[in-house]
Each structure stands twice: as structure tokens, then as C-alpha cells.
Amino acid sequence: MPENDILIDPKLLEILVCPVSKGPLVFDRQKQELISKVAGLAYPIRDGIPIMLVDEARPLEGDE
């Protein structure tokens, strides 16, 4: 597994929610992001730590 390819504990993913929509998140392993489809935001994961700050989130493109 490449060094930047970090997995998220499934139990952690079950309890994390989007701070904006309070909806579920989907782990994008390739981009190392947690995706909130409801809010249209992607939260980065840095060194295995989800950065759940709206200011750090990336707006999703139309086809994401």
C-alpha cells in the first residue's frame, strides 16, 4: 500500500457526519477525502486524520 493511501476505520466512518448537513460521509480512497454528497463538500484526510473543517473542505465538481 502506498504511504499516502491511508484507510479509515469503518467504525470511525459510521460516527462521523458532515458538520454542515449532519449527513453521512463516503470515503474516497483514491483522493483521500470524506465526501458529503448532501453538502457538496469533500473533507481532506491528512496523515490519517479527517479534517472536518468547512474552511478546509473542497466544493465538489458537478460530476463528483
Side-chain angles (χ1 to χ4, degrees):
M1 176 170 21
E3 189 174 315
N4 64 345
D5 188 14
I6 296 171
L7 298 176
I8 293 293
D9 184 335
K11 291 180 182 178
L12 177 62
L13 194 53
E14 284 179 22
I15 60 172
L16 283 177
V17 296
C18 173
V20 174
S21 70
K22 309 298 186 239
L25 297 164
V26 177
F27 176 50
D28 184 329
R29 183 175 176 175
Q30 182 179 11
K31 293 183 180 176
Q32 291 293 295
E33 295 177 323
L34 293 175
I35 307 294
S36 172
K37 293 181 180 183
V38 175
L41 296 171
Y43 298 94
I45 299 171
R46 295 190 189 119
D47 299 321
I49 301 169
I51 310 298
M52 304 303 295
L53 301 171
V54 176
D55 291 345
E56 295 286 326
R58 169 182 75 78
L60 295 177
E61 303 287 326
D63 61 343
E64 288 185 278

